[in-house]
Amino acid sequence: MSQIPLEHILLLSAVLFCLGLLAVITKRHAVVVLMGVELIFNAANLNLVAFSRYDPSLLQGQLFSLFVIVVAAAEAAVALAIVLRVYQHFKTANLNEIATIDK
């Protein structure tokens, strides 16, 4: 069984990170921005596991990745709750409209 080269995994991680960053910067819907943040977390997890795979005696990459997954799940739950409350109050999930309503 052949291993996938580290460069390919890092390239995939960089693509995921760039797509997540692009979604956070360009999109204005709150849920899409949250999905972009999750893509960034997944890119970081992929890097951690990839580097840990090439040092099989240490499991630090997998442990950090597990910690990031737990934090991302908690962040998603809290952020979605906030988005729901903001939608109930402002009747929109568009970040531009929320920013200009109170002015």
Side-chain angles (χ1 to χ4, degrees):
M1 186 166 98
S2 65
Q3 285 190 351
I4 299 172
L6 181 62
E7 294 83 18
H8 293 175
I9 298 172
L10 296 179
L11 181 65
L12 176 63
S13 176
V15 169
L16 279 176
F17 183 85
C18 290
L19 288 173
L21 189 62
L22 183 70
V24 169
I25 292 173
T26 61
K27 301 299 179 184
R28 293 297 150 222
H29 196 276
V31 176
V32 177
V33 171
L34 291 175
M35 289 190 314
V37 171
E38 293 297 324
L39 276 175
I40 292 171
F41 281 146
N42 287 331
N45 282 337
L46 190 58
N47 275 337
L48 289 169
V49 172
F51 283 122
S52 180
R53 180 178 179 199
Y54 287 94
D55 191 7
S57 64
L58 300 174
L59 294 176
Q60 292 153 339
Q62 282 96 348
L63 292 176
F64 279 127
S65 182
L66 185 63
F67 179 72
V68 170
I69 289 170
V70 169
V71 169
E75 173 263 335
V78 170
L80 285 174
I82 291 171
V83 168
L84 286 173
R85 294 297 295 174
V86 167
Y87 183 79
Q88 286 177 348
H89 186 266
F90 293 110
K91 303 296 185 226
T92 184
N94 189 337
L95 298 176
N96 284 339
E97 292 175 16
I98 294 169
T100 59
I101 286 177
D102 287 336
K103 291 183 180 181

